[in-house]
Amino acid sequence: MIKLDKSLTASFDVDPQCGFTPLCPNELPIAEGDLIADELNAQAEFAQCRVVSKDCHPAEAPWIANSPDEIMSPVEGDYPNLDIKWPAHCVVGTKGNTLIPGLPQESSYDYVVEKGIDPLMHPYGACFHDLSESKGTGVIEWLIKQKIHNVIVGGLATDYCVKTTVLQLCKAGFKVVVNLAACRGVDNETIKLACKEMQDAGVVLITNSQELECK
């Protein structure tokens, strides 16, 4: 069992949006991505505050792939905060931008991170707007202000936005627990690599929220 002091713990839902699930098959559908709400809600019971991050992308950007062949190919040009191309996803004002069914309304969260708004930036982690991690989203500072020491993380996708967010939180000095039952990933091999990278950074991985206990 992982014992946590609830008064010092936050629960972090990373990008649990319809655009990353089969509910939006033309975006970035991750298998079973729409089935993590119950575990995200369960882990929140062990925290005194709850955070959610969202991709809030524009409809047009240099990183958007115009054909399947372009997906995951390098973004050409002078774009230091873009790396590879992705299908359009989580565009503001569309279903893909909304939270998956079963989660609270955004207004019920204690802090909401909106990232990826700038068409010239495509961040993965929720703590910074840019790939060089110099422009903070404010969530680290907010967690510190709340006197948070521990962060329980779940969301989409394990091998991209979850991993990057977790590593950013670790660098900021938080003790991080990743609830794998509240996550889904893109590819089994990159999920394994992501889990190893997180563990090497000192992250505790749990199979589900039943492994958590309040002190």
Side-chain angles (χ1 to χ4, degrees), residues 14 124-125 153 156-170 178 190-191 193-195 197-198 203:
V14 176
Y124 299 100
V153 180
L156 304 170
T158 315
D159 35 352
Y160 288 91
C161 296
V162 170
K163 180 195 76 171
T164 305
T165 301
V166 164
L167 295 177
Q168 291 172 345
L169 290 168
C170 286
V178 173
T190 52
I191 291 170
L193 292 172
C195 287
E197 189 174 353
M198 290 188 286
V203 175

Side-chain angles (χ1 to χ4, degrees), residues 5 7 15 30-31 38 49-50 79 83 89 93 97 99-100 134 143 154-155 161 166 168 172-173 184 192 212 215:
D5 185 334
S7 67
D15 301 0
I30 297 165
D38 286 348
C49 59
R50 189 171 185 180
Y79 300 113
D83 53 1
H89 60 277
N97 183 254
L99 300 181
I100 61 173
S134 62
L143 290 168
C161 296
V166 164
Q168 291 172 345
R184 295 293 188 277
K192 290 179 183 177
L212 296 172
K215 288 183 180 180

